Amino acid sequence: MKKFLFAAVGLAVLAGSACSKAPECTTEIATKKAQDMATALQEAITKDPSKAADLTAKVQAVTTKYQGTTTLADACKAYDEVTAAIKG
């Protein structure tokens, strides 16, 4: 049991250090994510126009979730979530 606990703690420390080395969300990264999201949305609607209403609802749900946030980090998270929802 102790070995499992030490392994879990080791993995948590490793994951934490990996996260701290992740690049920050800069204006350039946020802009790129916004462009990628718009492209994904356009491709999805072009591929299947009948899904436009469903995709709009998904985008609205994420938009509502991040409404009122003002940081670039939150913007990047929102773009990532919307893009993932679109690509579904």
Side-chain angles (χ1 to χ4, degrees):
M1 185 68 166
K2 285 185 179 182
K3 289 182 182 181
F4 177 77
L5 181 60
F6 285 122
V9 170
L11 287 174
V13 169
L14 181 60
S17 66
C19 290
S20 66
K21 293 179 184 178
E24 291 184 29
C25 182
T26 63
T27 303
E28 292 80 17
I29 292 172
T31 301
K32 172 76 169 102
K33 288 179 181 284
Q35 291 169 346
D36 291 346
M37 180 201 66
T39 300
L41 183 59
Q42 183 177 11
E43 288 174 356
I45 291 173
T46 301
K47 183 178 178 181
D48 188 354
S50 68
K51 291 187 178 181
D54 182 49
L55 292 174
T56 301
K58 288 179 180 182
V59 170
Q60 184 61 40
V62 176
T63 303
T64 301
K65 177 180 175 181
Y66 284 95
Q67 187 174 6
T69 60
T70 58
T71 67
L72 280 174
D74 286 337
C76 283
K77 288 178 191 176
Y79 288 134
D80 288 342
E81 283 188 35
V82 170
T83 302
I86 291 168
K87 292 183 177 182

